[in-house]
Amino acid sequence: MDDTRLEPEELNHALSAREGWALAEDETAITRDFKFADFREAFAFMSECALAAERLDHHPSWNNVYNRVGVSLTTHSSGGVSARDIEMSKIMDAAARRYGI
């Protein structure tokens, strides 16, 4: 997968198709907060995404407090958002939909 940092126009186009995702203030990551019914759902989501991230060779930054999971995706080697981050956001969105998110 191409880890080249997306140009601003490419990134804006990709984000326009990613509901709930936003560009971080420093413009080097995309972020989203997920809210689940309870801790079990949040943890199951994180487990599913962790396995997918490993297959994708991606390492998201995230945090969990009870039923909430905050995510930040960036490609450190490119210094910003790459196609790998967009793909990981799609995987996370698909996993969240299984919980009605």
Side-chain angles (χ1 to χ4, degrees):
M1 181 164 289
D2 186 6
D3 283 338
T4 303
R5 184 177 182 161
L6 296 176
E7 294 296 326
E9 185 176 303
E10 294 173 300
L11 180 54
N12 288 333
H13 178 72
L15 274 180
S16 70
R18 309 276 8 111
E19 186 177 337
W21 290 89
L23 189 59
E25 193 172 303
D26 66 3
E27 299 184 355
T28 63
I30 56 174
T31 64
R32 180 168 179 190
D33 292 320
F34 296 91
K35 183 179 177 186
F36 298 90
D38 53 28
F39 176 74
R40 185 199 62 76
E41 282 190 7
F43 191 81
F45 165 80
M46 291 180 74
S47 296
E48 180 179 343
C49 291
L51 294 173
E54 186 65 22
R55 286 189 301 272
L56 194 60
D57 194 27
H58 195 293
H59 305 96
S61 295
W62 52 11
N63 62 70
N64 166 244
V65 177
Y66 181 57
N67 65 339
R68 297 175 187 272
V69 177
V71 177
S72 177
L73 301 176
T74 189
T75 302
H76 299 286
S77 61
S78 70
V81 180
S82 73
R84 188 178 306 267
D85 302 303
I86 300 302
E87 183 61 26
M88 191 68 219
S89 74
K90 292 176 184 178
I91 291 167
M92 291 181 151
D93 286 345
R97 279 193 296 278
R98 287 190 266 290
Y99 298 97
I101 306 301

